[in-house]
Amino acid sequence: SEQKRTSQIFVDDGMGNLSELEDQKLYMSENRVYVDYEDIPQNLIDAYISTEDKRFYDHNGVDWLRTIKATVYYALGNSAGGGSTLTQQLIKNATGNNDNTPQRKIGEIFQALNLEKNYSKEQILEMYLNTIYLSQGCYGVQSASYTYFGKPVKELNLLECAAIASITQNPSKWDPKLHPENNIIRRNSILENMLEQGKITKAEFDSAYNAELTIYDPEESEDPDNDPGESSGSATGVNSWYVDAVIEDAIELLMERYEVNYNVGEQMLYTGGFRIVTAMDPKVQQVLEEVFTDTDIIDEIIGASPGMVKPQSAIVVLDTKNGNILGLVGGRGEKYKSRLFNFATQAHRQTGSAMKPLSVYGPALESGIINYATVFDDSPYSYDDEGNGWPKNSPAVYRGLTPVITGITNSVNTMAVKILDRLGIENSFNFLTEKMHITTLYRNKVINGSVYNDLSLPALALGGMTEGVSVRELAGGFTTFTNEGVYCQPRTVLKILDSKGNTVVDNALLTEECLSRENASIMTKMMNNVVVNGTGSSIKLKNYVFTAGKTGTTTKNNDKWFVGYTPYYLGGVWFGYERAQSLGGFSGNPAMKIWDYAMTKLHEELVFTPDGEDGFDYQTDRQGNAIPKIYSDVIDPGVLTLQFCQTCGKLATEKCKKVYRYGTSNTQNMTATGYFTADNMPTESCTCHVEVTFCTAGNHLASEACPEEYLKKR
């Protein structure tokens, strides 16, 4: 309130050099309009003072007489005695602390006394009248004036001033649009107070008392553009999706720094003249916006049919080493307004199997419960009364004894459930919430009288949680694998400076050690197998640069996911309808297709240009493009490479290389290359493949009756 300057958005190039995003300055929206004290009519000021705090100019922040009366009322069991001055109400509005307890009231008294030592009565009134809630989504008298009367507050007459002042005590009850009959009772009472205290003359009182109030209707107005501005946004009218996210993050940081509520934090951001330093990479953001704005390209990528309702999609791209959000887009198509609902940061959707590396495989690997080769029985975990097995796989087959690497590669649901059962639901839940800072998992949370709980196998093993997870948080969890086992919380805002360049908020990087470097590397090898041989094998980027990732599809096919990474970028994509419904009209995984297209665009200058500046050796692909040979570079030096048997998970022997299937002459090599740590590796050799004498005449085990010429060792 002291500065009332436009805040600015800056980009840090990683070397400490800041450059301003010229077209992304911030100003207030139509329901968040700040007004200077000089432009507030005296009648409005008098209406508030005469009704809310008639000794405002005489006390030092606390009206002791009213406070004593309120204390007596409280002691007698009446908590509605009031006693708050405008100064105290300002503190309550700013902090959002509205607890009706003696402790809160005592703290508020000391805050009010301190506030009045540092600020003038005019400054306190100005801030108060700019932060009060006045129904219809209005905060402050300026926005209320435009909403109810279609004009700036300085043009209000006495009747209109009394009408606005009437709303404050109980906005839902005294709203002049919704309850005009209530508002007239309240505003008449205010006019009586003003007359009694000599704020207005008898003639003014008579002209306004019981007078008819005309409410502004924008549809009937001759000047429909008579409003304080477009929706909150940049100087050009519309912020990017990234700046939308910056605004929300900056408000939260200011709320935490100054211990204020959302409304005041928002006021501070738009009027405080701050310099918001962001982690955006303008080139990354430009590429993502170009991809998502062109709906024709997206439709072609996902195979959308003409005339069908087009689902939404969102993407977040992170720096692999620190989790900084380099770019994000929160919706498809041309962005027509600032601060739209952001599907990249604000939508929470079930993740399906995309959660498995975070909730199952990562923590189970770190705890030593599994390794790359551990074998589980791919069979139902349980059966219902009708004999149907749960969970079901997709495709709906059960494979029998299956190693972990096959389980994650083909997204085998039964294995994820059985591994989680062995890990422990509580351990998985704690790993997600405490280590990876997933904020939308419920532990016995009551919503509308119902209790929701994500401490379950379906929620954690199969991604069927109650609320879901945002693209931002899910992608952030994968930084654990790209950053040597250390989780980095995604951030758009690096720091906030005041108008003089002083740091007021240092949004330091939040990190958590989740996995060892070796296990993070092993998880990366596993997810590389997903895109090379498994559910992500249609990813084309893998042909040019090392790629790892995980697909996800929810039970009812309402949501599709892909989170993947290269040595350069980590990205997550969600695809689904705004209101959940089946994606049955789409083949494959549209989220994965969008990810592949967008990430390929991002890698064009990095990977497909044969300059060799990144230090990798280069080879030439079929089109003559130079591509780096970096497939071996992802393996941590502490990881051991061993051959294991896929039937039992033990060290492979020569017998494992040529195993006959019973009753046939077909053989299969049951050995595979696995990646292990020294303290979590197979140490015994395979004994499950036994050499037997077989009769080729009848394709059965030999007996004494079998002719010798048909006997074979197998």
Side-chain angles (χ1 to χ4, degrees):
S1 65
E2 291 178 317
Q3 298 175 10
K4 293 183 281 294
R5 298 174 179 147
T6 300
S7 293
Q8 301 163 282
I9 307 293
F10 289 84
V11 171
D12 188 330
D13 66 356
M15 304 295 290
N17 302 312
L18 304 183
S19 56
E20 183 184 356
L21 296 177
E22 292 289 346
D23 62 341
Q24 300 286 291
K25 290 184 176 67
L26 305 183
Y27 65 88
M28 293 303 291
S29 68
E30 65 272 13
N31 63 342
R32 297 288 195 280
V33 189
Y34 202 95
V35 59
D36 292 326
Y37 182 83
E38 293 76 14
D39 291 327
I40 301 173
Q42 190 63 44
N43 277 334
L44 186 57
I45 293 172
D46 291 340
Y48 274 99
I49 292 177
S50 64
T51 304
E52 301 289 338
D53 189 2
K54 64 183 180 181
R55 284 183 285 274
F56 175 73
Y57 289 110
D58 299 323
H59 62 63
N60 59 351
V62 180
D63 188 331
W64 293 108
L65 179 61
R66 293 178 67 191
T67 299
I68 292 171
K69 288 182 180 179
T71 303
V72 173
Y73 290 148
Y74 186 86
L76 295 175
N78 181 3
S79 60
S84 293
T85 64
L86 290 179
T87 309
Q88 290 171 284
Q89 289 182 42
L90 169 59
I91 292 168
K92 184 166 58 178
N93 291 341
T95 62
N97 188 347
N98 197 28
D99 296 335
N100 191 25
T101 62
Q103 292 86 348
R104 196 272 297 176
K105 295 293 290 185
I106 292 170
E108 187 180 88
I109 286 172
F110 282 105
Q111 289 176 310
L113 295 172
N114 185 60
L115 194 65
E116 295 238 1
K117 289 180 182 178
N118 294 285
Y119 295 94
S120 68
K121 293 288 186 179
E122 289 74 18
Q123 288 175 307
I124 291 171
L125 266 176
E126 179 180 301
M127 192 62 178
Y128 172 80
L129 293 173
N130 276 287
T131 57
I132 50 176
Y133 180 63
L134 295 167
S135 194
Q136 302 289 330
C138 301
Y139 287 87
V141 294
Q142 181 79 304
S143 60
S145 181
Y146 279 108
T147 297
Y148 296 113
F149 305 113
K151 57 186 176 182
V153 70
K154 65 182 178 181
E155 296 179 8
L156 295 181
N157 60 36
L158 172 60
L159 178 64
E160 293 163 342
C161 288
I164 286 180
S166 300
I167 304 171
T168 306
Q169 186 187 63
N170 190 335
S172 62
K173 180 178 181 180
W174 306 118
D175 183 323
K177 278 189 173 183
L178 299 178
H179 303 289
E181 70 285 355
N182 291 343
N183 186 265
I184 192 172
I185 297 172
R186 180 67 177 162
R187 70 175 181 262
N188 281 344
S189 175
I190 289 176
L191 291 170
E192 291 171 354
N193 291 335
M194 295 177 72
L195 177 63
E196 180 184 338
Q197 297 173 37
K199 304 297 184 182
I200 56 176
T201 65
K202 184 64 166 61
E204 290 174 319
F205 173 82
D206 291 339
S207 67
Y209 194 83
N210 272 332
E212 183 178 350
L213 185 70
T214 301
I215 298 296
Y216 171 70
D217 185 344
E219 294 184 1
E220 297 178 1
S221 172
E222 295 180 359
D223 185 12
D225 295 326
N226 181 25
D227 62 55
E230 299 295 327
S231 62
S232 57
S234 70
T236 57
V238 179
N239 285 330
S240 69
W241 287 107
Y242 194 101
V243 171
D244 278 359
V246 167
I247 290 170
E248 296 302 323
D249 290 349
I251 290 173
E252 288 193 15
L253 291 169
L254 292 172
M255 288 168 59
E256 182 180 355
R257 167 66 175 81
Y258 293 102
E259 298 182 5
V260 295
N261 64 12
Y262 185 92
N263 173 40
V264 176
E266 187 179 42
Q267 291 273 15
M268 293 177 70
L269 175 65
Y270 280 103
T271 63
F274 293 111
R275 302 176 186 178
I276 316 299
V277 182
T278 73
M280 178 201 290
D281 183 327
K283 291 183 178 179
V284 172
Q285 184 64 22
Q286 181 181 356
V287 169
L288 299 185
E289 289 181 358
E290 289 174 352
V291 170
F292 275 71
T293 299
D294 194 331
T295 56
D296 291 338
I297 290 180
I298 294 291
D299 287 345
E300 183 179 348
I301 293 170
I302 63 178
S305 303
M308 73 182 304
V309 178
K310 309 298 172 58
Q312 272 290 356
S313 188
I315 187 171
V316 175
V317 173
L318 309 177
D319 187 308
T320 59
K321 295 304 178 186
N322 55 30
N324 285 345
I325 299 178
L326 305 178
L328 66 85
V329 173
R332 287 183 56 191
E334 191 76 34
K335 193 169 186 288
Y336 63 91
K337 187 178 181 181
S338 294
R339 300 184 73 177
L340 293 170
F341 184 77
N342 195 321
F343 287 95
T345 59
Q346 295 174 313
H348 300 142
R349 297 300 176 97
Q350 292 186 347
T351 63
S353 297
M355 179 61 78
K356 291 175 182 176
L358 309 184
S359 61
V360 178
Y361 291 102
L365 187 66
E366 183 69 12
S367 64
I369 290 173
I370 63 170
N371 60 38
Y372 194 97
T374 305
V375 170
F376 285 82
D377 186 5
D378 176 12
S379 61
Y381 174 82
S382 62
Y383 294 87
D384 61 20
D385 294 338
E386 297 178 357
N388 299 312
W390 180 87
K392 297 185 182 301
N393 290 327
S394 180
V397 295
Y398 298 113
R399 301 167 178 82
L401 297 179
T402 306
V404 162
I405 181 57
T406 302
I408 190 172
T409 298
N410 296 315
S411 204
V412 180
N413 288 333
T414 57
M415 292 189 64
V417 169
K418 291 181 178 181
I419 294 171
L420 179 60
D421 186 48
R422 189 178 295 183
L423 172 66
I425 294 173
E426 188 78 28
N427 291 330
S428 174
F429 187 93
N430 292 340
F431 188 82
L432 291 173
T433 56
E434 297 173 9
K435 292 287 190 179
M436 296 192 172
H437 297 270
I438 302 294
T439 60
T440 49
L441 294 179
Y442 295 157
R443 183 193 294 270
N444 298 323
K445 184 172 182 177
V446 178
I447 304 176
N448 297 327
S450 299
V451 179
Y452 294 91
N453 197 343
D454 288 321
L455 285 161
S456 69
L457 291 173
L460 300 178
L462 307 179
M465 61 283 298
T466 303
E467 181 176 343
V469 179
S470 69
V471 184
R472 173 183 183 153
E473 286 198 346
L474 184 64
F478 280 67
T479 59
T480 303
F481 312 125
T482 66
N483 190 42
E484 299 179 340
V486 178
Y487 164 84
C488 298
Q489 189 172 58
R491 55 180 180 166
T492 62
V493 177
L494 302 180
K495 55 186 175 181
I496 301 177
L497 312 175
D498 63 19
S499 59
K500 298 178 182 178
N502 302 311
T503 300
V504 295
V505 175
D506 183 5
N507 189 26
L509 180 63
L510 173 63
T511 61
E512 294 282 355
E513 292 186 12
C514 298
L515 307 176
S516 68
R517 291 178 50 170
E518 294 82 2
N519 282 329
S521 181
I522 292 170
M523 282 298 303
T524 292
K525 292 297 293 184
M526 286 183 175
M527 285 187 283
N528 171 242
N529 208 48
V530 171
V531 300
V532 173
N533 299 308
T535 57
S537 59
S538 64
I539 292 288
K540 297 182 178 64
L541 184 60
K542 69 177 184 289
N543 298 323
Y544 301 97
V545 62
F546 180 90
T547 305
K550 186 69 187 75
T551 55
T553 301
T554 56
T555 302
K556 296 181 180 180
N557 200 29
N558 291 341
D559 305 273
K560 296 284 190 179
W561 292 81
F562 188 78
V563 183
Y565 53 94
T566 72
Y568 304 102
Y569 296 116
L570 162 61
V573 173
W574 163 83
F575 182 87
Y577 286 99
E578 185 171 346
R579 294 185 177 181
Q581 66 183 74
S582 175
L583 293 166
F586 296 90
S587 62
N589 186 332
M592 185 168 62
K593 296 176 182 178
I594 294 172
W595 184 95
D596 196 25
Y597 183 86
M599 292 290 276
T600 299
K601 286 285 186 183
L602 288 178
H603 284 77
E604 283 180 347
E605 292 185 8
L606 292 170
V607 178
F608 306 141
T609 303
D611 52 19
E613 292 180 359
D614 57 11
F616 294 116
D617 294 329
Y618 279 74
Q619 61 186 10
T620 303
D621 66 8
R622 295 177 182 176
Q623 288 75 38
N625 297 314
I627 59 175
K629 298 178 181 178
I630 61 172
Y631 288 88
S632 62
D633 292 68
V634 300
I635 303 176
D636 188 87
V639 174
L640 303 176
T641 304
L642 302 171
Q643 296 291 306
F644 70 93
C645 172
Q646 297 182 71
T647 303
C648 63
K650 297 179 181 180
L651 294 173
T653 67
E654 286 298 314
K655 293 180 179 179
C656 301
K657 295 180 180 180
K658 191 176 182 180
V659 178
Y660 286 85
R661 291 195 174 277
Y662 183 78
T664 74
S665 59
N666 300 325
T667 63
Q668 184 175 359
N669 185 353
M670 295 304 297
T671 66
T673 301
Y675 304 90
F676 308 90
T677 61
D679 58 354
N680 186 15
M681 56 178 280
T683 56
E684 299 179 357
S685 296
C686 170
T687 58
C688 63
H689 299 137
V690 181
E691 187 175 69
V692 297
T693 301
F694 201 79
C695 177
T696 59
N699 284 327
H700 55 72
L701 291 175
S703 67
E704 294 181 356
C706 296
E708 186 173 349
E709 62 267 27
Y710 292 108
L711 300 183
K712 298 286 185 180
K713 292 285 186 180
R714 291 184 178 176

